[in-house]
Amino acid sequence: MSVLDLFRLHDKVALVTGCRRGIGFAMAEALAEAGADIVGVSRNLEPAGSAIEAAVTALGCRFTPYSCDLSDRSAVHALVNQVHEAHPRIDILINNAGAILRTPAADHPDEYWDEIMRTNLDASWILARELGKRMVERGEGKIVFTASLLTFQGGITVPGYAASKGAIGQLTKALSNEWAAHNVQVNAIAPGYIATDNTAALRADRDRESAILARIPAGRWGNPRDFKGATVFLASRASDYVTGEILVVDGGWMGR
């Protein structure tokens, strides 16, 4: 087998949450470019005719859409049942969907905290547990979480988000410790400052944007396509001996 063959995902099925736009869109498209069929999940994903469906099917891969409010635990469990029935084998789980709400800590309401935890942590945990147990039974699988720079740092005015992403880092390691012996690799990708909807407020603040760019050695905001290589690597046989890792994709921010 050549090294390039290690990255091929033909005959694999990947479930990608938050696939409708941004980083999740790029992740789903990258997996399809490597040959995987995509089960896409987003809160407002169109039942047909979405941009991500067009991108995936243009590559000759199948796309199955599911609309799900991941902040609703009952909806997440219903999604799991639907996926199990329609797709008995999910080879790759990309737990990417997330939300962020900005308010200074002293004013951060319970409602913000609860919504962020339900979306960023609870839904990822339920999907990883329910799909992961089947991977363990088969003796093969890949799980990739989307972490954050705030898995390592505290951030400003986003206590709920920082707490949720810190927990994602620990969950990645906890699952890896239990499932590595069953040939299920569990890793995370930690994005740096990326030009997506989640960072629109930062990019609109000239002072914050200048301070952020001054620290990034690459000298630019990241783009969702910067995650394609890392995603395919962690979803493929190329990473069979990589598990429990948090791969930072940040233009050098954390090394500064």
Side-chain angles (χ1 to χ4, degrees):
M1 179 179 293
S2 74
V3 67
L4 291 181
D5 287 333
L6 292 174
F7 292 87
R8 300 189 196 282
L9 297 174
H10 298 90
D11 300 321
K12 301 294 186 183
V13 179
L15 188 151
V16 184
T17 67
C19 68
R20 189 171 180 268
R21 59 188 181 182
I23 293 172
F25 187 111
M27 288 173 155
E29 185 176 45
L31 295 170
E33 287 171 347
D37 292 327
I38 305 298
V39 176
V41 179
S42 282
R43 182 193 295 262
N44 297 311
L45 186 59
E46 300 88 339
S50 66
I52 186 57
E53 179 180 15
V56 169
T57 56
L59 294 164
C61 297
R62 291 190 293 272
F63 182 83
T64 307
Y66 291 92
S67 177
C68 180
D69 178 359
L70 294 174
S71 70
D72 181 343
R73 182 172 291 190
S74 63
V76 176
H77 281 288
L79 170 68
V80 168
N81 292 335
Q82 288 179 288
V83 169
H84 281 338
E85 183 175 352
H87 311 276
R89 183 184 181 105
I90 297 292
D91 303 287
I92 302 157
L93 169 61
I94 309 294
N95 261 326
N96 167 73
I100 189 167
L101 293 170
R102 300 178 185 277
T103 305
D107 302 315
H108 206 78
D110 290 350
E111 293 78 13
Y112 277 22
W113 178 274
D114 291 343
E115 181 175 349
I116 294 303
M117 288 298 174
R118 288 194 300 261
T119 302
N120 294 3
L121 182 59
D122 294 358
S124 291
W125 157 240
I126 292 167
L127 290 171
R129 182 188 64 203
E130 297 303 316
L131 299 182
K133 68 175 63 175
R134 293 198 172 194
M135 295 178 182
V136 168
E137 291 169 359
R138 291 195 307 269
E140 183 180 26
K142 302 280 186 176
I143 297 175
V144 182
F145 292 95
T146 295
S148 169
L149 292 183
L150 300 196
T151 300
F152 311 99
Q153 302 174 324
I156 300 171
T157 73
V158 287
Y161 181 83
S164 71
K165 292 301 184 177
I168 286 294
Q170 293 304 102
L171 180 58
T172 297
K173 297 173 185 179
L175 295 181
S176 173
N177 289 342
E178 292 195 36
W179 293 349
H182 301 281
N183 194 33
V184 177
Q185 291 80 46
V186 184
N187 293 287
I189 297 173
Y193 285 91
I194 313 302
T196 65
D197 290 347
N198 277 358
T199 60
L202 294 178
R203 287 180 285 118
D205 183 329
R206 291 187 178 182
D207 292 337
R208 286 294 307 280
E209 183 183 43
S210 296
I212 288 167
L213 285 174
R215 178 171 166 165
I216 300 173
R220 66 173 177 87
W221 287 78
N223 186 287
R225 64 176 174 270
D226 291 319
F227 294 85
K228 286 191 167 187
T231 301
V232 172
F233 169 61
L234 292 177
S236 70
R237 293 187 61 187
S239 62
D240 278 356
Y241 200 59
V242 178
T243 191
E245 294 299 322
I246 303 171
L247 176 57
V248 180
V249 180
D250 67 346
W253 173 281
M254 286 296 291
R256 200 61 175 261

